[in-house]
Amino acid sequence: LLLLTQITVLFSNLYTVSSKADQKLLKKFAFSKNKIDLVPNWVNSGNYVPIKDRGDKLICVGRLESQKNFKKIINDFSNSKYEIDIFGDGTQKNNLIELSEIKNTKANFLGVRDNNQLLNQYSEYKFYLSSSLFEGNPKTVLEAMSAGCIVIANENKNIKEIIEHGVNGFLLKNKENSYLVLLENIIKNFDLNKISNNAINFVKSNNDLTKIVQHEI
């Protein structure tokens, strides 16, 4: 895959990436230094509901595949009081349903939703969980933040470009930590309204469609 990317860059006039980490990687090749342009994902914002008026269920969105690592979330919330709505489909669906039953995790597998419908549904939830092992510039995370959700994401070099721990969201620092433990610590020790507002302002500053179009022009 990397070889194909190098060939593509070589024969391109301009090659766009969505994260600083990807930009840094590709600029290592001498022939690509002036060809790589950073264009973050843009997002549309859905409805906004104050964080205090939202329900207590958690939300996850993504393909039900190994990369998204939903089994980590299901394991961490075993026998807990929390209920998780998972939107998406994929080859791991039956395995994840079975795991949630074994672990006694309250997980609802709700299938695929139209993007506009999903944008409005984000505002029903206080917390968005992302367990992906690796990402580019994840649009679902940005959409959740734009709706004021508090994101708890698995730490990786790309997600660290978006989430500043304890400021506009939270990072699960290593595989030994638990989403459940981190969630309860956040609820107990942080101002949820402030984190929610910081998330919205981050997306407005960095992923607003008008600003990205102006950059491209």
Side-chain angles (χ1 to χ4, degrees):
L1 182 59
L2 182 58
L3 177 59
L4 289 175
T5 301
Q6 290 180 56
I7 293 171
T8 302
V9 173
L10 179 62
F11 290 98
S12 298
N13 293 320
L14 182 68
Y15 191 92
T16 62
V17 294
S18 60
S19 72
K20 293 177 182 177
D22 291 343
Q23 184 183 44
K24 184 178 179 180
L25 173 63
L26 292 178
K27 280 193 171 184
K28 290 181 179 179
F29 307 115
F31 57 80
S32 69
K33 289 188 183 300
N34 298 318
K35 293 184 177 183
I36 310 301
D37 190 28
L38 175 63
V39 183
N41 280 326
W42 60 270
V43 297
N44 286 321
S45 298
N47 292 336
Y48 174 73
V49 174
I51 203 78
K52 64 182 177 61
D53 296 330
R54 304 187 186 199
D56 292 324
K57 289 200 291 186
L58 313 172
I59 182 173
C60 301
V61 179
R63 294 176 291 107
L64 306 184
E65 304 294 347
S66 298
Q67 175 200 341
K68 300 300 182 180
N69 197 30
F70 284 115
K71 64 181 182 180
K72 167 67 174 169
I73 290 174
I74 291 171
N75 281 320
D76 284 0
F77 284 90
S78 177
N79 295 312
S80 79
K81 66 180 181 180
Y82 295 98
E83 190 171 349
I84 308 167
D85 286 347
I86 300 174
F87 293 91
D89 203 358
T91 62
Q92 298 292 311
K93 181 177 180 179
N94 290 337
N95 292 338
L96 293 171
I97 291 173
E98 182 179 1
L99 180 62
S100 66
E101 292 172 351
I102 293 170
K103 294 293 183 178
N104 191 31
T105 299
K106 301 180 184 71
N108 305 309
F109 293 86
L110 301 177
V112 178
R113 291 288 189 276
D114 174 82
N115 185 250
N116 288 330
Q117 183 181 2
L118 196 56
L119 283 173
N120 290 323
Q121 283 191 282
Y122 284 124
S123 62
E124 299 174 12
Y125 303 86
K126 293 186 178 95
F127 292 95
Y128 176 100
L129 307 180
S130 172
S131 52
S132 293
L133 298 174
F134 56 91
E135 286 284 6
N137 188 237
K139 194 158 186 174
T140 57
V141 168
L142 294 168
E143 288 173 344
M145 292 173 69
S146 75
C149 292
I150 297 168
V151 173
I152 305 175
N154 186 45
E155 184 180 54
N156 58 61
K157 62 183 179 181
N158 294 78
I159 204 73
K160 285 168 67 176
E161 296 178 17
I162 300 172
I163 302 294
E164 184 178 354
H165 185 75
V167 177
N168 63 353
F170 296 88
L171 299 171
L172 194 70
K173 298 283 187 178
N174 61 62
K175 294 178 182 178
E176 303 305 318
N177 287 339
S178 163
Y179 281 91
L180 175 58
V181 172
L182 179 53
L183 172 65
E184 293 186 331
N185 178 50
I186 293 165
I187 292 171
K188 182 179 179 181
N189 296 304
F190 287 86
D191 182 340
L192 302 188
N193 188 61
K194 183 177 181 180
I195 302 293
S196 175
N197 288 333
N198 286 345
I200 293 170
N201 291 332
F202 176 88
V203 175
K204 284 182 178 178
S205 297
N206 294 278
N207 303 91
D208 178 76
L209 177 58
T210 301
K211 290 184 178 180
I212 291 174
V213 169
Q214 290 174 344
H215 169 80
E216 285 300 282
I217 292 173

